[in-house]
Amino acid sequence: MSLRIGIVGTGRTIGVASDHLHGIQANPGWILSAVYDIVPDNAKQWIQQHNLASALICSSLEELLDKVDAVVICTDNLSHGTIAREAFKRKLPVLCEKPLSVDYHESKKLAEEAAAVGVVNYMGMQYRYHPYAQLIKEIISSGELGDIFSYRHKLGGGRIGNPNVGMEWRMKKETSGAGAVADFGIHQVDLIHFFLHETCGEITSVQAELATFIQARQSEGASAAPVTNDDIAVVIARLENGAMITLNNSRLLPQDGDGIEIVGTKAAISMDQHGRLFLRKKNADGSWSGEREELEIEERHKFLGLARGKQYKEFYEAVKNNQPHELSFAYAAQAARVIDAAVLSSQEGRRVSISEIE
Ligand SMILES: NC(=O)c1ccc[n+]([C@@H]2O[C@H](COP(=O)([O-])OP(=O)(O)OC[C@H]3O[C@@H](n4cnc5c(N)ncnc54)[C@H](O)[C@@H]3O)[C@@H](O)[C@H]2O)c1
């Protein structure tokens, strides 16, 4: 059964909608039937860039909603809620980009509304479908690492590390919510849950420092305007079993140092900036082995159309069977709760329990 899907927000800065197109095209069950962007030129350019028919372009959100069986939201974080609510009025399933909204409060409200309407709501948190994440999950589930006590993840991008990149919606608290800590942190919190919740439990508390190093950006046709959210964040978190987490998020650094390290009582797995994975085991006497083994990504770790392809396969199955998916708005709201705890921790200079965030 083919289902019609429409994309709202074709893109201007990163243009994540293009990734979604690849995911849709990897799944014959979906047919891209409509696109809408509040800036008509963005939609026109996007259609040309991807050699698609200009007839797909709608001149309003309502027109798009009339033409589809499901909606994808790829706009700035603030507008996710308004668009999702319009879709819910028509009982249309929604795939929304992360973060769900600008903070936990708004995300929770949206999650509750989605649950009340009873349509499939699904989040664009695709990192767990990357081959490296599948391999790491497999190693952790096999018990090869032993009891995990340390987890470190640095994630970021360098595009806006150039201070000459002008003001974007993501640099303003009102349209983005928190900055780097949410942008990358939502993915990190999702991966921590995916990898560790069965063995180590959930995140119980956080301690964070957020900072803004590029404090003003040029606005179109205006003088420089202030950046009102963080561009670098460091978060320390604890899991239920006491495991120590350190997260580093940045919009400014080169990606050379990106990577993950997960350490247990028997072995450690790490991923370097090139995406190469290594396993280092402990010797019988408890010391670390001098050798590390490079792990191979196998076919079983790869999905058709890679992470976005798998995302659209999961979304299709959920919609076709009208069944909720784990990557729901409610799940995203819980991730937003951890991010809000990090923001509060940085503001108040203290450790914050996740249960404090209501
Ligand atoms: N999952 C990921 O890895 C990932 C990566 C990048 C961005 N994102 C998320 O995707 C979303 C979009 O980010 P982006 O960088 O692609 O943004 P972008 O700036 O490239 O594009 C946003 C587009 O939305 C349009 N738009 C804004 N409000 C609208 C409205 N009310 N109706 C219709 N169109 C509207 C804009 O004109 C623009 O073309 C954000 O929520 C962001 O956090 C996720």
Side-chain angles (χ1 to χ4, degrees):
M1 178 176 68
S2 289
L3 295 172
R4 301 165 304 162
I5 197 161
I7 298 178
V8 183
T10 50
R12 177 77 181 187
T13 56
I14 292 180
V16 79
S18 296
D19 281 3
H20 286 263
L21 177 66
H22 297 137
I24 291 167
Q25 289 177 333
N27 285 277
W30 288 118
I31 299 169
L32 181 70
S33 303
V35 301
Y36 167 65
D37 197 291
I38 203 161
V39 179
D41 264 357
N42 291 353
K44 258 190 230 156
Q45 275 179 28
W46 189 82
I47 285 286
Q48 281 166 6
Q49 177 194 342
H50 295 291
N51 291 317
L52 296 166
S54 57
L56 292 176
I57 300 176
C58 298
S59 52
S60 67
L61 177 62
E62 291 65 35
E63 185 189 340
L64 177 139
L65 296 175
D66 279 342
K67 290 183 170 172
V68 298
D69 303 304
V71 182
V72 183
I73 303 176
C74 295
T75 61
D76 59 82
N77 305 341
L78 177 67
S79 56
H80 291 174
T82 314
I83 298 162
R85 287 184 176 103
E86 286 304 316
F88 292 156
K89 277 187 204 160
R90 298 170 191 238
K91 300 228 179 277
L92 289 171
V94 173
L95 190 167
C96 184
E97 257 306 339
K98 51 51 62 177
L100 180 51
S101 188
V102 291
D103 59 18
Y104 172 58
H105 180 76
E106 276 306 308
S107 304
K108 191 169 150 237
K109 248 184 10 194
L110 256 174
E112 286 165 359
E113 288 171 34
V117 175
V119 292
V120 170
N121 50 95
Y122 183 98
M123 287 304 300
M125 292 152 89
Q126 80 283 10
Y127 273 43
R128 60 173 64 186
Y129 301 135
H130 285 306
Y132 74 80
Q134 292 292 311
L135 176 51
I136 291 176
K137 170 81 174 174
E138 189 178 280
I139 297 274
I140 291 174
S141 300
S142 75
E144 206 168 349
L145 300 189
D147 295 331
I148 290 160
F149 60 89
S150 174
Y151 181 104
R152 184 169 60 79
H153 189 186
K154 174 175 174 264
L155 190 62
R159 182 183 63 91
I160 57 176
N162 179 353
N164 296 314
V165 173
M167 181 60 75
E168 296 177 1
W169 62 265
R170 57 173 48 76
M171 301 157 188
K172 292 186 279 189
K173 197 175 166 199
E174 60 273 30
T175 40
S176 172
V181 73
D183 226 356
F184 305 112
I186 289 281
H187 287 305
Q188 290 170 321
V189 170
D190 173 41
L191 282 184
I192 291 167
H193 173 87
F194 178 60
F195 292 148
L196 301 180
H197 82 279
E198 284 154 355
T199 47
C200 304
E202 301 292 350
I203 295 174
T204 55
S205 67
V206 296
Q207 200 150 2
E209 287 284 342
L210 275 55
T212 311
F213 285 91
I214 299 180
Q215 295 183 343
R217 301 269 186 174
Q218 199 65 35
S219 268
E220 248 171 66
S223 53
V227 172
T228 52
N229 58 19
D230 54 289
D231 48 27
I232 296 191
V234 178
V235 180
I236 299 169
R238 299 302 286 261
L239 296 178
E240 281 171 58
N241 75 336
M244 178 84 87
I245 307 278
T246 47
L247 306 177
N248 196 303
N249 306 317
S250 168
R251 293 173 158 176
L252 308 185
L253 308 178
Q255 292 186 33
D256 301 341
D258 279 12
I260 295 179
E261 180 193 64
I262 308 169
V263 188
T265 49
K266 291 188 192 159
I269 190 167
S270 59
M271 182 175 78
D272 69 9
Q273 69 269 36
H274 306 294
R276 289 179 309 187
L277 287 151
F278 299 95
L279 187 72
R280 191 188 291 270
K281 293 185 182 165
K282 280 206 151 183
N283 298 316
D285 67 359
S287 61
W288 286 108
S289 156
E291 301 285 311
R292 62 177 195 175
E293 176 195 345
E294 183 163 357
L295 300 172
E296 254 186 63
I297 304 260
E298 314 255 359
E299 280 312 304
R300 68 178 179 282
H301 305 122
K302 297 182 200 159
F303 298 113
L304 188 66
L306 295 173
R308 291 292 186 183
K310 173 68 170 168
Q311 180 177 55
Y312 275 89
K313 184 168 189 290
E314 295 280 317
F315 184 49
Y316 179 81
E317 293 298 326
V319 173
K320 196 180 71 172
N321 302 317
N322 192 27
Q323 274 190 340
H325 192 282
E326 186 200 354
L327 291 176
S328 64
F329 282 18
Y331 178 79
Q334 285 313 307
R337 197 177 184 201
V338 175
I339 303 304
D340 276 18
V343 173
L344 182 65
S345 166
S346 178
Q347 281 165 352
E348 298 194 350
R350 65 179 179 90
R351 182 196 288 186
V352 172
S353 291
I354 305 306
S355 57
E356 286 180 55
I357 308 297
E358 290 178 15

